[in-house]
Amino acid sequence: YVIHFDDANYITLAHLTLINNHSSYGTVVHFEGTASYDTIRNCVLKGYTTTSSSTDHSVLYAYGFTGQHNVIINNKIQEGGTSIYWRGSGTTTCATATTFHGNLITNTKGYYGIYAYYNSGLSFNNNNLQRSSTDQYRSAYMYYSDNDFSFSNNTFRVTAGSTLYGLQLYYINYTSQNPAATVVFENNDLEFNNTSTTYARLAYAYYLHNRNNIVSIKSTSGSTYSQLLNYYCYYTQAKNIRPLT
């Protein structure tokens, strides 16, 4: 890694260009332990160009992480096997109240756009993800995001030539099933282009507001699975959705 937040609090990185071109260990920023109230803004974070799913090729990386109120805002996040890998420790020991806002995420190969697992109060808003390649890809892979959750006003333009998991939002507000939580998937413009099987799924969510989204899937062969309304979702409000164009 280039920068390591190890239980480090109240630190801001701003207006920096951080590059890691190592072909085996390409992490740019590593969050660890309980690092909290840290901010990365207006930076360029660039990793090694690869199709590898290894976490060693994550541009932003956190694993078993229980920090809170960290903000990643208005950055250019480039290349890497995974642009953002953000994983808490468990369903009740989560990374808490992380904000990803206004970032431009670009990848010419890559395996994951954002991988987020075991979070609480996660916000992923106003981000622009662009990826064009012929390889398999997972644009947004988010599991067990509990309590408040926001995936809003994002723009995705993704092209693949193998299996494409454009959207996998599973188990949202699922552990706590908190009716007072603000849980939204709204105002997103997501376009997935592929020559093979393509998935866009939002499943096992509680008290979700699913509204005003455009999800376009264009596949020249293979199967298309678009399940964005009520696939095992409970107490969910959905309107103004265009799942296929």
Side-chain angles (χ1 to χ4, degrees):
Y1 48 79
V2 179
I3 300 290
H4 187 195
F5 289 93
D6 188 358
D7 294 329
N9 300 330
Y10 298 100
I11 294 174
T12 296
L13 302 181
H15 304 286
L16 298 174
T17 297
L18 306 174
I19 299 173
N20 188 343
N21 282 325
H22 198 283
S23 60
S24 297
Y25 302 101
T27 296
V28 178
V29 181
H30 181 187
F31 283 77
E32 189 171 5
T34 60
S36 300
Y37 299 95
D38 297 315
T39 299
I40 303 176
R41 58 178 171 84
N42 298 314
C43 291
V44 176
L45 311 175
K46 185 175 182 180
Y48 179 71
T49 301
T50 178
T51 59
S52 173
S53 62
S54 169
T55 57
D56 290 329
H57 292 113
S58 305
V59 179
L60 279 167
Y61 175 72
Y63 180 84
F65 183 60
T66 56
Q68 57 183 310
H69 296 284
N70 294 294
V71 177
I72 314 298
I73 183 169
N74 295 338
N75 301 286
K76 294 180 180 179
I77 303 172
Q78 301 171 349
E79 303 304 340
T82 300
S83 301
I84 301 167
Y85 187 100
W86 204 263
R87 184 178 176 121
S89 183
T91 54
T92 59
T93 49
C94 303
T96 301
T98 307
T99 296
F100 298 97
H101 183 94
N103 300 288
L104 174 60
I105 302 167
T106 56
N107 206 306
T108 52
K109 290 187 177 181
Y111 192 83
Y112 287 107
I114 176 169
Y115 173 108
Y117 216 105
Y118 297 139
N119 285 270
S120 178
L122 177 67
S123 294
F124 187 84
N125 300 330
N126 296 91
N127 300 288
N128 186 333
L129 187 151
Q130 300 178 11
R131 190 265 193 179
S132 182
S133 180
T134 58
D135 303 297
Q136 184 179 138
Y137 192 61
R138 288 163 167 79
S139 308
Y141 182 98
M142 297 178 171
Y143 277 53
Y144 292 103
S145 290
D146 212 24
N147 295 303
D148 291 346
F149 173 82
S150 179
F151 188 103
S152 302
N153 300 295
N154 299 294
T155 301
F156 283 17
R157 294 293 182 265
V158 177
T159 299
S162 183
T163 304
L164 171 59
Y165 297 89
L167 197 68
Q168 290 175 282
L169 306 186
Y170 279 40
Y171 304 107
I172 307 301
N173 193 30
Y174 182 85
T175 302
S176 65
Q177 299 178 20
N178 178 7
T182 301
V183 185
V184 294
F185 174 76
E186 63 184 4
N187 301 323
N188 298 291
D189 183 357
L190 313 177
E191 181 180 300
F192 305 112
N193 300 288
N194 196 13
T195 57
S196 185
T197 301
T198 305
Y199 297 85
R201 282 178 170 169
L202 195 162
Y204 307 104
Y206 276 81
Y207 303 101
L208 172 72
H209 293 272
N210 183 345
R211 56 204 174 198
N212 301 327
N213 299 290
I214 299 172
V215 181
S216 173
I217 300 175
K218 301 174 183 178
S219 182
T220 57
S221 64
S223 301
T224 296
Y225 300 91
S226 177
Q227 294 161 315
L228 295 170
L229 290 171
N230 56 359
Y231 187 72
Y232 294 101
C233 293
Y234 305 93
Y235 312 107
T236 293
Q237 299 181 31
K239 66 178 182 180
N240 298 329
I241 298 173
R242 291 166 53 192
L244 292 173
T245 60

